Amino acid sequence: MKRIFNSMVGICLIIFSSSLMNGDKLSLLDEKFQIGIKEIEEKLDGVMGVAIKDLKTGKSFFLNEKEIFPQASSIKITILLEVFKQAEEGKLKLDEFIELKESQKVRGSGILINLGYPTLSLSIKDLCVLMIVLSDNTATNILIDRIGMDSVNRRMDSFGFKNTKLKRKMMDLETAREGMENISTPLEIMELLERIGRENAIKDPFRFELLKILSIFKESPLRSGIPEDVSIANKPGELEAVRCDSGIVYLKERPYIICVMTTYLRNGKEGEEAITSISRIAFEHFLRIQSYSEYGRLLPQH
């Protein structure tokens, strides 16, 4: 009986070993990556959603990807797209100048609240740069006035993004107290960035200029997780108990989209650190796939 038992164990080990050797090693790496994402989420005192997509293979990694999250300043991606779409459609010109009025100034992030004495006019493109790079709330509200809040939402609806909504201007605390929030999901923002990146949402040269603005260096949780020599087109967002960051990472041979959103945070700093941790393990995952052969050997570098 003991001899039979030992033989059965031996056969099972041979079968297991054979299946492992013949299995898809990349799938094993993917599984470990997914586990790593889950471990970071489980340690966070809050709620996290993740959507990541390999733009070379189309393979995706999800966690609570359909949950609706406050976007904070990350919603400015949708405003930027609508500005450039209207420029593409001939409804406005990016070199059109708009005068800054004292009544338009709002507090929060940005610099325009301190400028314009006695007068100041900026081009629409300059306002876009201020909105994305400095997250200037005054510039954002001026752009919303120019393009129309309803236009942003109609555009998102036309793409099928029913949970992506611009519901209020920046620093509109009264409507915020009423529960009006700018919202989306990790999945919808991921798909929006993919549409932009693949020219399905907007064509060149407008797409190129839009991504150029999104790619201007800015401190952010996603940025902190990847080397400085790797470009990322992204927009972070921050509110009380909310941190999020979404973008396209231009890893040379393995570009990918990454959207990480958090809410109900007990500690905002922990939310930022969690996003950076997700960003770091995502970069390491795709860099490994890019740098190794199909058998797992690290390829010689030039």
Side-chain angles (χ1 to χ4, degrees):
M1 180 66 71
K2 185 176 181 180
R3 189 179 300 115
I4 295 173
F5 176 77
N6 288 336
S7 297
M8 291 177 64
V9 171
I11 292 171
C12 289
L13 288 173
I14 291 171
I15 293 173
F16 175 77
S17 176
S18 177
S19 65
L20 184 61
M21 287 188 294
N22 295 329
D24 184 349
K25 291 178 284 296
L26 287 179
S27 292
L28 295 177
L29 287 178
D30 289 343
E31 288 175 14
K32 289 186 176 183
F33 176 39
Q34 189 78 50
I35 291 171
I37 293 172
K38 184 62 178 174
E39 287 176 346
I40 294 170
E41 184 266 344
E42 288 176 347
K43 292 177 182 177
L44 180 66
D45 192 355
V47 178
M48 173 183 282
V50 180
I52 300 172
K53 186 165 189 175
D54 182 339
L55 290 175
K56 184 173 182 178
T57 66
K59 187 178 295 182
S60 299
F61 302 86
F62 295 132
L63 178 67
N64 301 324
E65 75 279 5
K66 295 182 180 180
E67 291 297 318
I68 297 174
F69 288 82
Q71 291 303 289
S73 287
S74 289
I75 199 67
K76 293 170 183 177
I77 295 173
T78 67
I79 298 169
L80 182 68
L81 175 59
E82 182 59 25
V83 170
F84 275 77
K85 282 297 294 182
Q86 291 195 17
E88 182 182 51
E89 295 164 354
K91 297 177 181 178
L92 59 78
K93 294 184 177 180
L94 296 175
D95 60 2
E96 170 187 329
F97 275 78
I98 298 178
E99 182 179 355
L100 172 62
K101 298 176 182 177
E102 192 67 23
S103 61
Q104 294 173 306
K105 295 181 180 180
V106 294
R107 298 189 178 278
S109 55
I111 194 173
L112 287 185
I113 191 172
N114 298 309
L115 301 180
Y117 300 99
T119 62
L120 176 67
S121 294
L122 298 102
S123 71
I124 288 181
K125 185 175 179 179
D126 285 344
L127 290 168
C128 288
V129 172
L130 288 170
M131 174 179 71
I132 297 300
V133 181
L134 297 183
S135 207
D136 194 293
N137 289 325
T138 297
T140 304
N141 287 350
I142 291 172
L143 290 171
I144 291 173
D145 287 338
R146 179 63 181 84
I147 62 176
M149 189 177 299
D150 289 342
S151 295
V152 176
N153 292 326
R154 283 196 299 269
R155 188 79 62 183
M156 293 302 105
D157 284 341
S158 72
F159 291 150
F161 302 145
K162 303 302 181 183
N163 293 313
T164 302
K165 302 291 183 183
L166 178 65
K167 294 186 176 183
R168 63 172 178 81
K169 288 185 177 182
M170 305 303 111
M171 302 306 295
D172 186 347
L173 300 182
E174 184 176 341
T175 57
R177 292 189 193 99
E178 296 172 356
M180 298 291 284
E181 201 55 74
N182 300 320
I183 56 173
S184 188
T185 70
L187 179 61
E188 290 191 1
I189 294 298
M190 184 198 80
E191 292 179 344
L192 175 62
L193 288 171
E194 183 176 15
R195 279 176 175 261
I196 293 172
R198 296 190 186 282
E199 289 191 80
N200 293 331
I202 188 168
K203 303 295 184 183
D204 283 333
F206 297 98
R207 181 196 71 108
F208 176 81
E209 291 299 325
L210 182 157
L211 289 173
K212 186 177 179 181
I213 291 174
L214 274 181
S215 299
I216 297 174
F217 184 88
K218 63 189 81 68
E219 297 290 344
S220 81
L222 287 183
R223 174 79 265 177
S224 296
I226 63 174
E228 289 188 7
D229 61 344
V230 176
S231 178
I232 175 173
N234 72 306
K235 185 70 188 82
E238 174 181 332
L239 285 172
E240 297 82 4
V242 173
R243 298 293 189 275
C244 48
D245 204 349
S246 298
I248 306 171
V249 178
Y250 292 101
L251 187 57
K252 186 177 179 182
E253 297 175 17
R254 212 79 189 194
Y256 60 94
I257 296 171
I258 176 168
C259 303
V260 188
M261 302 174 185
T262 64
T263 191
Y264 282 102
L265 295 171
R266 190 175 297 276
N267 185 306
K269 185 65 175 177
E270 289 181 3
E272 295 172 13
E273 292 171 351
I275 295 173
T276 295
S277 295
I278 297 288
S279 179
R280 184 175 294 113
I281 67 168
F283 179 81
E284 291 171 352
H285 177 73
F286 290 113
L287 180 63
R288 178 184 293 188
I289 294 173
Q290 170 183 284
S291 305
Y292 287 61
S293 73
E294 63 176 309
Y295 302 106
R297 176 187 174 178
L298 179 61
L299 298 172
Q301 302 300 303
H302 295 293

PDB file of all heavy atoms in Angstrom, residues 11-34:
ATOM      1  N   ILE A  11       3.677  10.267  -9.460  1.00  0.00           N
ATOM      2  CA  ILE A  11       2.964  10.572 -10.707  1.00  0.00           C
ATOM      3  C   ILE A  11       2.374  11.962 -10.652  1.00  0.00           C
ATOM      4  O   ILE A  11       2.455  12.740 -11.618  1.00  0.00           O
ATOM      5  CB  ILE A  11       1.868   9.521 -10.963  1.00  0.00           C
ATOM      6  CG1 ILE A  11       2.504   8.165 -11.279  1.00  0.00           C
ATOM      7  CG2 ILE A  11       0.959   9.960 -12.103  1.00  0.00           C
ATOM      8  CD1 ILE A  11       1.511   7.019 -11.330  1.00  0.00           C
ATOM      9  N   CYS A  12       1.780  12.347  -9.501  1.00  0.00           N
ATOM     10  CA  CYS A  12       1.174  13.677  -9.353  1.00  0.00           C
ATOM     11  C   CYS A  12       2.223  14.768  -9.495  1.00  0.00           C
ATOM     12  O   CYS A  12       1.990  15.791 -10.133  1.00  0.00           O
ATOM     13  CB  CYS A  12       0.485  13.791  -7.993  1.00  0.00           C
ATOM     14  SG  CYS A  12      -1.018  12.805  -7.874  1.00  0.00           S
ATOM     15  N   LEU A  13       3.411  14.527  -8.896  1.00  0.00           N
ATOM     16  CA  LEU A  13       4.476  15.520  -8.994  1.00  0.00           C
ATOM     17  C   LEU A  13       4.955  15.670 -10.429  1.00  0.00           C
ATOM     18  O   LEU A  13       5.237  16.773 -10.893  1.00  0.00           O
ATOM     19  CB  LEU A  13       5.642  15.121  -8.089  1.00  0.00           C
ATOM     20  CG  LEU A  13       5.410  15.261  -6.576  1.00  0.00           C
ATOM     21  CD1 LEU A  13       6.583  14.666  -5.801  1.00  0.00           C
ATOM     22  CD2 LEU A  13       5.219  16.730  -6.204  1.00  0.00           C
ATOM     23  N   ILE A  14       5.029  14.538 -11.146  1.00  0.00           N
ATOM     24  CA  ILE A  14       5.445  14.588 -12.552  1.00  0.00           C
ATOM     25  C   ILE A  14       4.428  15.363 -13.375  1.00  0.00           C
ATOM     26  O   ILE A  14       4.775  16.211 -14.203  1.00  0.00           O
ATOM     27  CB  ILE A  14       5.623  13.160 -13.109  1.00  0.00           C
ATOM     28  CG1 ILE A  14       6.840  12.494 -12.450  1.00  0.00           C
ATOM     29  CG2 ILE A  14       5.798  13.204 -14.624  1.00  0.00           C
ATOM     30  CD1 ILE A  14       6.964  11.013 -12.771  1.00  0.00           C
ATOM     31  N   ILE A  15       3.126  15.108 -13.133  1.00  0.00           N
ATOM     32  CA  ILE A  15       2.071  15.806 -13.865  1.00  0.00           C
ATOM     33  C   ILE A  15       2.116  17.300 -13.574  1.00  0.00           C
ATOM     34  O   ILE A  15       2.032  18.140 -14.465  1.00  0.00           O
ATOM     35  CB  ILE A  15       0.688  15.228 -13.501  1.00  0.00           C
ATOM     36  CG1 ILE A  15       0.574  13.798 -14.019  1.00  0.00           C
ATOM     37  CG2 ILE A  15      -0.419  16.093 -14.077  1.00  0.00           C
ATOM     38  CD1 ILE A  15      -0.691  13.084 -13.564  1.00  0.00           C
ATOM     39  N   PHE A  16       2.263  17.652 -12.270  1.00  0.00           N
ATOM     40  CA  PHE A  16       2.324  19.067 -11.875  1.00  0.00           C
ATOM     41  C   PHE A  16       3.525  19.750 -12.515  1.00  0.00           C
ATOM     42  O   PHE A  16       3.425  20.838 -13.064  1.00  0.00           O
ATOM     43  CB  PHE A  16       2.404  19.170 -10.350  1.00  0.00           C
ATOM     44  CG  PHE A  16       2.580  20.580  -9.866  1.00  0.00           C
ATOM     45  CD1 PHE A  16       1.508  21.458  -9.839  1.00  0.00           C
ATOM     46  CD2 PHE A  16       3.818  21.035  -9.444  1.00  0.00           C
ATOM     47  CE1 PHE A  16       1.660  22.763  -9.405  1.00  0.00           C
ATOM     48  CE2 PHE A  16       3.994  22.333  -9.019  1.00  0.00           C
ATOM     49  CZ  PHE A  16       2.913  23.203  -8.990  1.00  0.00           C
ATOM     50  N   SER A  17       4.685  19.055 -12.463  1.00  0.00           N
ATOM     51  CA  SER A  17       5.905  19.625 -13.025  1.00  0.00           C
ATOM     52  C   SER A  17       5.759  19.822 -14.524  1.00  0.00           C
ATOM     53  O   SER A  17       6.151  20.845 -15.075  1.00  0.00           O
ATOM     54  CB  SER A  17       7.092  18.705 -12.725  1.00  0.00           C
ATOM     55  OG  SER A  17       8.266  19.179 -13.339  1.00  0.00           O
ATOM     56  N   SER A  18       5.152  18.844 -15.193  1.00  0.00           N
ATOM     57  CA  SER A  18       4.965  18.935 -16.634  1.00  0.00           C
ATOM     58  C   SER A  18       4.059  20.081 -17.005  1.00  0.00           C
ATOM     59  O   SER A  18       4.334  20.842 -17.930  1.00  0.00           O
ATOM     60  CB  SER A  18       4.397  17.612 -17.161  1.00  0.00           C
ATOM     61  OG  SER A  18       4.139  17.707 -18.543  1.00  0.00           O
ATOM     62  N   SER A  19       2.948  20.263 -16.242  1.00  0.00           N
ATOM     63  CA  SER A  19       2.009  21.329 -16.566  1.00  0.00           C
ATOM     64  C   SER A  19       2.639  22.686 -16.340  1.00  0.00           C
ATOM     65  O   SER A  19       2.372  23.643 -17.065  1.00  0.00           O
ATOM     66  CB  SER A  19       0.741  21.190 -15.712  1.00  0.00           C
ATOM     67  OG  SER A  19       1.043  21.373 -14.337  1.00  0.00           O
ATOM     68  N   LEU A  20       3.521  22.765 -15.314  1.00  0.00           N
ATOM     69  CA  LEU A  20       4.176  24.034 -15.045  1.00  0.00           C
ATOM     70  C   LEU A  20       5.158  24.380 -16.150  1.00  0.00           C
ATOM     71  O   LEU A  20       5.244  25.512 -16.596  1.00  0.00           O
ATOM     72  CB  LEU A  20       4.909  23.960 -13.695  1.00  0.00           C
ATOM     73  CG  LEU A  20       5.589  25.251 -13.210  1.00  0.00           C
ATOM     74  CD1 LEU A  20       4.554  26.348 -13.030  1.00  0.00           C
ATOM     75  CD2 LEU A  20       6.339  25.006 -11.911  1.00  0.00           C
ATOM     76  N   MET A  21       5.891  23.343 -16.626  1.00  0.00           N
ATOM     77  CA  MET A  21       6.876  23.599 -17.681  1.00  0.00           C
ATOM     78  C   MET A  21       6.195  23.985 -18.977  1.00  0.00           C
ATOM     79  O   MET A  21       6.693  24.822 -19.732  1.00  0.00           O
ATOM     80  CB  MET A  21       7.756  22.363 -17.884  1.00  0.00           C
ATOM     81  CG  MET A  21       8.759  22.131 -16.751  1.00  0.00           C
ATOM     82  SD  MET A  21       9.932  20.824 -17.130  1.00  0.00           S
ATOM     83  CE  MET A  21       8.842  19.393 -17.191  1.00  0.00           C
ATOM     84  N   ASN A  22       5.058  23.376 -19.239  1.00  0.00           N
ATOM     85  CA  ASN A  22       4.388  23.622 -20.499  1.00  0.00           C
ATOM     86  C   ASN A  22       3.383  24.766 -20.423  1.00  0.00           C
ATOM     87  O   ASN A  22       2.785  25.138 -21.416  1.00  0.00           O
ATOM     88  CB  ASN A  22       3.664  22.346 -20.961  1.00  0.00           C
ATOM     89  CG  ASN A  22       4.639  21.233 -21.284  1.00  0.00           C
ATOM     90  OD1 ASN A  22       5.752  21.506 -21.712  1.00  0.00           O
ATOM     91  ND2 ASN A  22       4.229  19.997 -21.056  1.00  0.00           N
ATOM     92  N   GLY A  23       3.172  25.291 -19.207  1.00  0.00           N
ATOM     93  CA  GLY A  23       2.192  26.349 -19.041  1.00  0.00           C
ATOM     94  C   GLY A  23       2.684  27.683 -19.580  1.00  0.00           C
ATOM     95  O   GLY A  23       3.838  27.844 -19.966  1.00  0.00           O
ATOM     96  N   ASP A  24       1.821  28.632 -19.572  1.00  0.00           N
ATOM     97  CA  ASP A  24       2.137  29.967 -20.049  1.00  0.00           C
ATOM     98  C   ASP A  24       2.804  30.740 -18.916  1.00  0.00           C
ATOM     99  O   ASP A  24       2.167  31.165 -17.964  1.00  0.00           O
ATOM    100  CB  ASP A  24       0.842  30.667 -20.485  1.00  0.00           C
ATOM    101  CG  ASP A  24       1.118  32.036 -21.074  1.00  0.00           C
ATOM    102  OD1 ASP A  24       2.255  32.524 -20.965  1.00  0.00           O
ATOM    103  OD2 ASP A  24       0.183  32.623 -21.652  1.00  0.00           O
ATOM    104  N   LYS A  25       4.103  30.905 -19.025  1.00  0.00           N
ATOM    105  CA  LYS A  25       4.862  31.576 -17.966  1.00  0.00           C
ATOM    106  C   LYS A  25       4.443  33.028 -17.800  1.00  0.00           C
ATOM    107  O   LYS A  25       4.463  33.567 -16.699  1.00  0.00           O
ATOM    108  CB  LYS A  25       6.363  31.450 -18.240  1.00  0.00           C
ATOM    109  CG  LYS A  25       6.896  30.031 -18.073  1.00  0.00           C
ATOM    110  CD  LYS A  25       8.360  29.932 -18.403  1.00  0.00           C
ATOM    111  CE  LYS A  25       8.632  29.966 -19.888  1.00  0.00           C
ATOM    112  NZ  LYS A  25       8.054  28.821 -20.615  1.00  0.00           N
ATOM    113  N   LEU A  26       4.062  33.669 -18.893  1.00  0.00           N
ATOM    114  CA  LEU A  26       3.607  35.051 -18.790  1.00  0.00           C
ATOM    115  C   LEU A  26       2.306  35.141 -17.988  1.00  0.00           C
ATOM    116  O   LEU A  26       2.082  36.117 -17.265  1.00  0.00           O
ATOM    117  CB  LEU A  26       3.403  35.652 -20.184  1.00  0.00           C
ATOM    118  CG  LEU A  26       4.680  35.985 -20.957  1.00  0.00           C
ATOM    119  CD1 LEU A  26       4.337  36.558 -22.327  1.00  0.00           C
ATOM    120  CD2 LEU A  26       5.553  36.966 -20.187  1.00  0.00           C
ATOM    121  N   SER A  27       1.475  34.117 -18.116  1.00  0.00           N
ATOM    122  CA  SER A  27       0.232  34.100 -17.342  1.00  0.00           C
ATOM    123  C   SER A  27       0.529  34.012 -15.853  1.00  0.00           C
ATOM    124  O   SER A  27      -0.169  34.600 -15.021  1.00  0.00           O
ATOM    125  CB  SER A  27      -0.652  32.919 -17.761  1.00  0.00           C
ATOM    126  OG  SER A  27      -1.134  33.107 -19.078  1.00  0.00           O
ATOM    127  N   LEU A  28       1.588  33.280 -15.496  1.00  0.00           N
ATOM    128  CA  LEU A  28       1.987  33.198 -14.099  1.00  0.00           C
ATOM    129  C   LEU A  28       2.447  34.563 -13.588  1.00  0.00           C
ATOM    130  O   LEU A  28       2.133  34.956 -12.461  1.00  0.00           O
ATOM    131  CB  LEU A  28       3.100  32.161 -13.927  1.00  0.00           C
ATOM    132  CG  LEU A  28       2.730  30.712 -14.237  1.00  0.00           C
ATOM    133  CD1 LEU A  28       3.953  29.811 -14.090  1.00  0.00           C
ATOM    134  CD2 LEU A  28       1.607  30.233 -13.329  1.00  0.00           C
ATOM    135  N   LEU A  29       3.181  35.278 -14.419  1.00  0.00           N
ATOM    136  CA  LEU A  29       3.607  36.623 -14.036  1.00  0.00           C
ATOM    137  C   LEU A  29       2.402  37.543 -13.890  1.00  0.00           C
ATOM    138  O   LEU A  29       2.340  38.371 -12.961  1.00  0.00           O
ATOM    139  CB  LEU A  29       4.571  37.188 -15.080  1.00  0.00           C
ATOM    140  CG  LEU A  29       5.982  36.612 -15.111  1.00  0.00           C
ATOM    141  CD1 LEU A  29       6.784  37.256 -16.246  1.00  0.00           C
ATOM    142  CD2 LEU A  29       6.701  36.824 -13.790  1.00  0.00           C
ATOM    143  N   ASP A  30       1.460  37.412 -14.828  1.00  0.00           N
ATOM    144  CA  ASP A  30       0.241  38.227 -14.753  1.00  0.00           C
ATOM    145  C   ASP A  30      -0.520  37.959 -13.455  1.00  0.00           C
ATOM    146  O   ASP A  30      -1.035  38.882 -12.817  1.00  0.00           O
ATOM    147  CB  ASP A  30      -0.669  37.934 -15.953  1.00  0.00           C
ATOM    148  CG  ASP A  30      -0.114  38.475 -17.258  1.00  0.00           C
ATOM    149  OD1 ASP A  30       0.789  39.332 -17.209  1.00  0.00           O
ATOM    150  OD2 ASP A  30      -0.586  38.041 -18.321  1.00  0.00           O
ATOM    151  N   GLU A  31      -0.602  36.697 -13.070  1.00  0.00           N
ATOM    152  CA  GLU A  31      -1.302  36.335 -11.842  1.00  0.00           C
ATOM    153  C   GLU A  31      -0.631  36.956 -10.622  1.00  0.00           C
ATOM    154  O   GLU A  31      -1.294  37.473  -9.721  1.00  0.00           O
ATOM    155  CB  GLU A  31      -1.354  34.808 -11.697  1.00  0.00           C
ATOM    156  CG  GLU A  31      -2.300  34.129 -12.681  1.00  0.00           C
ATOM    157  CD  GLU A  31      -2.223  32.620 -12.580  1.00  0.00           C
ATOM    158  OE1 GLU A  31      -1.651  32.121 -11.592  1.00  0.00           O
ATOM    159  OE2 GLU A  31      -2.740  31.940 -13.492  1.00  0.00           O
ATOM    160  N   LYS A  32       0.699  36.921 -10.602  1.00  0.00           N
ATOM    161  CA  LYS A  32       1.426  37.526  -9.484  1.00  0.00           C
ATOM    162  C   LYS A  32       1.224  39.039  -9.454  1.00  0.00           C
ATOM    163  O   LYS A  32       1.120  39.643  -8.383  1.00  0.00           O
ATOM    164  CB  LYS A  32       2.914  37.186  -9.593  1.00  0.00           C
ATOM    165  CG  LYS A  32       3.228  35.732  -9.300  1.00  0.00           C
ATOM    166  CD  LYS A  32       4.723  35.475  -9.271  1.00  0.00           C
ATOM    167  CE  LYS A  32       5.024  34.035  -8.872  1.00  0.00           C
ATOM    168  NZ  LYS A  32       6.481  33.767  -8.774  1.00  0.00           N
ATOM    169  N   PHE A  33       1.175  39.651 -10.620  1.00  0.00           N
ATOM    170  CA  PHE A  33       0.921  41.089 -10.707  1.00  0.00           C
ATOM    171  C   PHE A  33      -0.465  41.419 -10.158  1.00  0.00           C
ATOM    172  O   PHE A  33      -0.634  42.351  -9.374  1.00  0.00           O
ATOM    173  CB  PHE A  33       1.046  41.531 -12.172  1.00  0.00           C
ATOM    174  CG  PHE A  33       0.722  42.981 -12.417  1.00  0.00           C
ATOM    175  CD1 PHE A  33       1.107  43.969 -11.522  1.00  0.00           C
ATOM    176  CD2 PHE A  33       0.036  43.365 -13.575  1.00  0.00           C
ATOM    177  CE1 PHE A  33       0.808  45.306 -11.761  1.00  0.00           C
ATOM    178  CE2 PHE A  33      -0.254  44.684 -13.807  1.00  0.00           C
ATOM    179  CZ  PHE A  33       0.128  45.657 -12.907  1.00  0.00           C
ATOM    180  N   GLN A  34      -1.450  40.633 -10.545  1.00  0.00           N
ATOM    181  CA  GLN A  34      -2.814  40.850 -10.056  1.00  0.00           C
ATOM    182  C   GLN A  34      -2.885  40.661  -8.542  1.00  0.00           C
ATOM    183  O   GLN A  34      -3.556  41.431  -7.836  1.00  0.00           O
ATOM    184  CB  GLN A  34      -3.779  39.878 -10.749  1.00  0.00           C
ATOM    185  CG  GLN A  34      -5.251  40.158 -10.486  1.00  0.00           C
ATOM    186  CD  GLN A  34      -5.790  41.318 -11.317  1.00  0.00           C
ATOM    187  OE1 GLN A  34      -5.609  41.360 -12.524  1.00  0.00           O
ATOM    188  NE2 GLN A  34      -6.448  42.253 -10.674  1.00  0.00           N
TER     189      GLN A  34
END
